């Protein structure tokens, strides 16, 4: 078989897809330009005063303490004295409420609303620069890089304030070398509740008493980590919050009169303790402001803001501490902190409300001007509107000041409104698309889908010699890419890789399509019978058959946000429908039941093919049984789904939370036992399957893996679960051992897994060769008569027929061996090969099994059940496919090729998506299971590649498993063939029928073309889904342009783009990436086995036939 | 070829459709506060009752039902009992299938079961009427060469239309439009009913236009 063309075609196809996705994503994801200018004291922000005055004036506060309690949700900070049964996170911070009620002019507590994404690094960026986040930033959480925009810390440094920092080391990465003194502590290990907090507490009070600081930033992580580890509703959270209460009290006691205290959370958390999204639970943190000297000129009144946006802290702090507002801030000052015009009279250095607003507005206007000069993404009409508004306000303000009359309250209100509208405009437009790139990406993706489809239809032609090769498209691609690069170099002076890649991909696709078209017409001309087959697929009638209708429906469902939200159930629905379609279709063709023995029919209507009623009945019952299994596992898998925040009344599966979070020990034990049982069953079933087909007899690497590494792996995994589920305080004296085991067990599992996969790769053969008793076997009367008799013409033909013979003998001796011990010596060939019939599928199966256990390691323990269901469903799908193939084959419609029809492939790919959801994943960022990065690395990582790949493996586990196992679809009908025939031996099974996968070796060309077709079809199904989401996004965005009338609808759609479709696009694209790579791995493994089998035969045949 | 039968079929279907219409309109006049969405279960039971009664009566009068082998009373009674049993079993079967398709298991079991009853009276009942309580024959009918009379072909078409209608009816449920007909099981039962009515219309028309191609082996 020709492996190289198959592999190279697949690689080329994947590369083209990747280029398309790369282009689209590059054009779609928004990028906000960073304005790298900084405000200085010299900037004339105030009218009527000479420049440079700004920083020299005595500020209202000389010093400030910023206590950042990560994930301090507003619910944690509120105190309800009437609540008699507070939950662990309620009423644990009484200090805030006490201070607010006893010293109302000194303190306030507000909800503090963060902008999504609510991840710590983005939030630190947000409340130091005052700018709004962009979508791309989300990816940087693992490696935060220094902030280049103007920010508060920089401004403090400029005016000579000494900033002391302690706590979360993210700050150190964001502001390297900006602090006067810095005490960072590692933040990455989510399980560690105390290191950062205790480290801060060691230094906090001593630093505060000392005098070498002006701004003190302390970032506590304990509450956040507690949420991640146990969730908010856990006694540990109560302890942590009580500790924080004490910290705030001690800090308040140590404050001087000239010091401002800000206690705030950077984001909230969901009920499960996670954050990152934009639900109100995640965005609403708390902010508490306090100073020993009166801070609020007026008592709390109705005009207090309900919610303080996070960016508003920046200008407020800047003005209170007397530093310029950072250049790119879009927040507005917090008015209650500033005295009104009358109160401000006489006080020096304290800006009144109106002055503060004016400084703020002027800074924002300046930023807007600079930004609109750099980038054109803010719509000009709203920009000019804002500019007009500002010039009107500024003239009004200046005239008021010049005339010295007291300003109207309306002016302040309109200044506030101006600031709010700037903020809203920025938020709405910081989505900078590159429509050209998006269109190019879409075009490439669409052509790639078309190419993939044609490739799958023409796979047989392509594998033949005269088919259109890959050489020309690749050469053209290289040339086009080079040309575009050269052109860019000449005209622009630099190369934009994306466009070169686009040109290369598009040209190679077009050339390939053209050549394919031409070669098809040639084949049609040569071979008239082929014509209907090639042209039939484009008629609408053939496109509406259920196997293609279902993926069409699936693609259509991606256009609607409701279906994306309910994707898990929708996909299950589709799988179920398509699975039911198989027996119904078979029944429609009259293939499901043995034909009734009417005399009429027996006479001539039905060709008397090799069909015996018992075989048919057996196959149909297998099919229906497997269908039942499939449906059962489908239904059960629904109980493992997670919940999106949009799904209101949805309870996430109890199996999703790791065992260590469960508090009921009995329930914990039950879950553990269930998980271990399903793990054991997984291992047992795999071994059972291999043993059944005689693949456990030899002594090669694969067999070693199956015999020893597989059980060992599952033992390791079971132990690891046990260790990680132990409550921390139960075995105090064994703590060291436990922590060692937490480190060693997963690493041992990783090692074993790698070893097993390597062994399978190096020695994939599972064939056991047994030489018979030499005296009789090598006697001169042999060679065995039968194949001599059948076709003894040329050595080539002889060779071809030897293989089935060998297999035949093996099969028989296996059966005899069980009965009589296999002692007799008749004239059988000298060689028996055990497990030859499943030589291709056995290593692949084992590979999948090992991989499954490895991926299970990265999941919460309860997911073992879901993985077991996955195995069941895989097996059921394979058997359904096999029996339906056999059933249609028995009735004579079997075409003789190995081609896999669409239905099982579509089912296979849908099942991958379905188990993506059934393993607790969702296409949203907050639902990424970050804990996977700490399996085996409880102390965190130094790099970013390893944790990122671990998380990717965790997220796309089902995609990987199904894609690697995809070639099994090709082998399974052949594997099951024997079983089917053995039941119906009565109907004259003659010799060469039962050869299982050796059929593939007999027709290498068909084998490779079938493999190519299978993989391209799978790629097509996968790839067809990917461009749909971009389309839906384009629709959404273009609707923005057209329909300015229905503003509400647009806003809603716009939100949906960012909330639903953009994450879905990211997940779909990376899922496609991972799947296609895994598919390539699977195909490569098959080719590797093929090479090994070829070598084995070369070694075997000389001494077998001679 | 089968003009007579096609005409009989068309009038039968017209009567059944009229009964569905009456079952919707009459309670609206008699029962206060009746509406298809609001008191949906009542609508389901009234229509399925009407369809059941009318189809049994019409098919019995027409004599489409295969002739019984024995004419004893006991045999007839046992046939009747078996039919009732099959009717009930088919309700359970549809209920299971609908639950497996993703309907809530416990919460709205009554609604799900009502849908199952509706589906049964639209599909299984017809099988019972045309083929008698004989599962083998039912399975046989739903194959390409399985239809043995015009009525069998008609059965194929109506049953397929009903089932597909109910299947399509599930599509709007996840959408966030907050319409009254998106509530479980309104859309599915409406879909099934619309599919059934479509089938009633489509079957005679289709058979009429394909009467040249239709050949039946036996009978």
């Amino acid at each position: 078989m020709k492996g190289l063309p198959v592999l190279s075609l697949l690689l080329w196809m994947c590369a083209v897809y990747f280029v398309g996705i790369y282009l689209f994503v590059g054009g779609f994801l928004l990028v906000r330009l960073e304005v790298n200018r900084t405000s200085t004291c010299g900037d004339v922000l105030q009218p009527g005063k000479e420049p440079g005055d700004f920083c020299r004036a005595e500020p209202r506060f000389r010093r400030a303490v910023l206590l950042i309690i990560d994930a301090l949700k507003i619910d944690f900070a509120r105190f309800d004295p009437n609540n008699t049964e507070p939950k662990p996170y309620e009423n644990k911070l009484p200090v805030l409420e006490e201070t607010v009620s006893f010293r109302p002019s000194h303190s306030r507590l507000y909800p503090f609303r963060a902008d999504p994404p609510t991840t710590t690094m983005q939030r630190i960026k947000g409340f130091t620069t005052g700018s709004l986040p962009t979508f791309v930033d989300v990816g940087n959480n693992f490696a935060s890089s220094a902030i280049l925009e103007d920010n508060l810390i920089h401004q403090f440094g400029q005016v000579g304030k000494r900033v002391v920092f302690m706590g979360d080391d993210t700050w150190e990465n964001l502001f390297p070398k900006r602090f006067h003194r810095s005490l960072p502590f590692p933040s990455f290990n989510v399980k560690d509740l105390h290191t950062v907090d205790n480290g801060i507490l060691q230094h906090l009070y001593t630093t505060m008493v000392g005098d070498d600081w002006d701004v003190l930033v302390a970032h506590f992580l304990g509450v956040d980590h507690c949420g991640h580890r146990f969730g908010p509703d856990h006694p540990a959270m109560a302890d942590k919050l009580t500790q924080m209460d004490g910290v705030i009290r001690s800090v308040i006691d140590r404050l001087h009169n000239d010091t401002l205290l800000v206690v705030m959370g950077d984001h909230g958390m969901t009920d499960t303790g996670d954050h990152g999204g934009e639900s109100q639970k995640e965005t609403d943190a708390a902010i508490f402001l306090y100073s020993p000297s009166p801070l609020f000129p007026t008592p709390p009144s109705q005009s207090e803001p309900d919610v303080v946006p996070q960016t508003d802290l920046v200008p407020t702090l800047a003005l209170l501490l007397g530093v310029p507002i950072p250049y790119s801030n879009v927040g507005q000052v917090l008015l209650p902190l500033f005295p009104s015009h009358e109160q401000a009279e006489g006080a020096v250095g304290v800006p009144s409300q109106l002055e503060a607003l004016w400084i703020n507005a002027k800074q924002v206007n300046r930023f807007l001007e600079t930004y609109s000069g750099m980038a054109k993404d803010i719509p000009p009409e709203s920009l000019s509107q804002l500019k007009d508004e500002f010039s009107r306000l500024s003239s009004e303000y200046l005239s008021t000041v010049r005339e010295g009359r007291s300003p109207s309250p309306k002016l302040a209100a309109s200044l506030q409104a101006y600031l709010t509208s700037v903020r809203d405009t920025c938020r709405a437009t910081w989505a900078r698309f590159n429509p050209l790139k998006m269109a190019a990406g879409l075009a490439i993706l669409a052509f790639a889908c078309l190419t993939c489809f044609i490739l799958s239809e023409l796979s047989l032609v392509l594998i033949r010699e005269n088919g259109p090769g890959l050489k020309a498209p690749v050469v053209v691609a290289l040339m086009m890419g080079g040309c575009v690069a050269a052109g860019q170099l000449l005209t622009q002076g630099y190369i934009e890789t994306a466009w070169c890649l686009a040109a290369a991909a598009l040209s190679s696709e077009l050339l390939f399509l053209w050549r394919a078209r031409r070669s098809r017409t040639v084949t049609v001309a040569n071979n008239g019978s082929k014509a209907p087959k090639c042209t039939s697929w484009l008629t609408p009638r053939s496109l509406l058959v259920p196997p293609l209708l279902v993926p069409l429906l699936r693609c259509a469902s991606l256009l609607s946000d409701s279906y994306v939200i309910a994707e898990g159930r929708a996909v299950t629905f589709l799988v179920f429908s398509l699975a039911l379609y198989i027996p119904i279709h078979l029944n429609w063709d009259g293939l499901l039941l043995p034909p009734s023995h009417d005399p009429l029919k027996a006479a001539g209507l039905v060709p008397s093919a090799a069909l015996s009623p018992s075989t048919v009945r057996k196959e149909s019952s297998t099919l229906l049984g497997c269908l039942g299994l499939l449906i059962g596992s489908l239904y059960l898998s629904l109980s493992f789904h997670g919940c999106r925040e949009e799904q209101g009344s949805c309870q996430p599966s109890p199996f999703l939370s790791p065992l260590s979070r469960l508090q009921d020990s009995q329930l914990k034990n039950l879950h553990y036992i269930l998980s271990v049982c399903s793990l054991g069953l997984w291992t047992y079933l795999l071994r059972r399957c291999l043993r059944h087909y005689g693949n456990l007899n030899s002594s090669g690497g694969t067999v070693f893996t199956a015999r020893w590494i597989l059980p060992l792996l599952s033992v390791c995994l079971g132990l690891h679960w046990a260790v990680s589920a132990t409550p921390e305080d139960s075995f105090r004296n064994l703590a060291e051992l436990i922590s060692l085991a937490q480190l060693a067990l997963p690493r041992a599992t990783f090692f074993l897994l790698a070893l097993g996969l390597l062994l399978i790769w190096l020695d994939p053969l599972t064939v056991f060769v047994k030489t018979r008793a030499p005296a009789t076997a090598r006697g001169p009367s042999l060679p065995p008569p039968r194949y001599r008799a059948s076709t003894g013409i040329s050595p080539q033909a002889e060779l071809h027929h030897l293989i089935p013979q060998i297999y035949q003998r093996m099969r028989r001796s296996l059966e005899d061996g069980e009965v009589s011990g296999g002692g007799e010596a008749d004239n059988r060939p000298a060689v028996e090969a055990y497990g030859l019939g499943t030589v291709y599928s056995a290593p692949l199966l084992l590979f999948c099994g090992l991989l499954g256990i490895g991926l299970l390691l990265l999941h919460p323990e309860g997911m073992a059940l879901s993985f077991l269901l996955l195995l069941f469903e895989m097996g059921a799908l394979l058997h359904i496919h096999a029996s339906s193939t056999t059933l249609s084959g028995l009735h004579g419609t079997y075409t003789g090729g190995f081609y896999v029809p669409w239905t099982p492939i579509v089912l296979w790919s849908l099942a991958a998506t379905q188990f993506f959801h059934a393993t607790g994943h969702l296409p949203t960022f907050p639902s990424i299971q970050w804990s996977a990065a700490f399996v085996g690395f409880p102390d965190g990582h130094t790099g970013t590649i390893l944790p990122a790949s671990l998380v990717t493996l965790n997220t796309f586990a089902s995609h990987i498993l199904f894609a690697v196992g995809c070639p099994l679809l090709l082998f399974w009908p052949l594997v099951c063939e024997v079983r089917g025939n053995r039941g119906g031996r009565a109907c004259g099974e003659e010799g060469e029928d039962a050869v299982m996968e050796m059929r593939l070796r007999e027709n290498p060309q068909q084998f490779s073309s079938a493999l190519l077709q299978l993989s391209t079809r799978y790629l097509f199904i996968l790839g067809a889904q990917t461009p749909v989401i971009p389309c839906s996004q384009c629709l959404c965005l273009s609707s923005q342009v057209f329909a300015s009338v229905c503003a509400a609808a647009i806003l809603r759609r716009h939100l949906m783009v960012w909330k639903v479709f953009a994450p879905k696009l990211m997940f779909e694209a990376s899922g496609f990436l991972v799947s296609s790579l895994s598919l390539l791995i699977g195909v490569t493994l098959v080719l590797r086995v093929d090479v090994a089998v070829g070598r084995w035969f070369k070694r075997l045949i000389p001494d077998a036939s001679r | 070829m089968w003009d007579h039968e096609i005409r009989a079929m068309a009038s039968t279907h017209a009567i059944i459709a009229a009964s569905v219409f009456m079952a919707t309109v009459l309670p609206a006049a008699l029962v206060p506060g009746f509406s298809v969405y609001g008191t949906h279960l009542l609508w389901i039971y009234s229509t399925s009752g009407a369809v059941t009664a009318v189809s049994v009566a019409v098919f019995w009068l027409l004599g489409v039902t295969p002739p019984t082998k024995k004419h004893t009373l006991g045999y007839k009674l046992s046939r009747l009992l078996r039919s009732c049993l099959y009717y009930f079993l088919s309700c359970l079967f549809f209920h299971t299938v609908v639950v497996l398709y993703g309907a809530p298991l416990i919460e709205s079991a009554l609604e799900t079961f009502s849908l199952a009853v509706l589906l049964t009276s639209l599909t299984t009942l017809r099988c019972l009427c045309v083929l008698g309580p004989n599962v083998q024959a039912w399975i046989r009918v739903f194959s390409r060469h399985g239809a043995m009379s015009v009525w069998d072909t008609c059965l194929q078409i109506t049953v397929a239309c009903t089932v597909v209608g109910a299947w399509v009816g599930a599509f709007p449920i996840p959408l966030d439009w907050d319409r009254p007909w998106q509530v479980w099981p309104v859309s599915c039962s409406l879909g099934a009913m619309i599919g059934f009515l479509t089938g009633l219309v489509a079957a005679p028309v289709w058979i009429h236009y394909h009467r040249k191609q239709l050949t039946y082996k036996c009978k």
Side-chain angles (χ1 to χ4, degrees), chain A residues 1041-1059:
Chain A
V1041 180
F1042 294 123
S1044 55
V1045 192
C1046 36
I1050 293 163
L1051 189 66
R1052 192 183 151 90
R1053 292 294 124 187
H1054 187 72
L1055 283 180
M1056 282 307 164
V1057 168
W1058 296 120
K1059 215 170 158 172

Side-chain angles (χ1 to χ4, degrees), chain A residues 691-706:
Chain A
R691 182 183 305 253
H692 177 78
Y693 290 113
N695 291 110
L696 284 188
N697 293 316
S698 75
S699 56
T702 309
V703 178
F704 177 76
T705 312

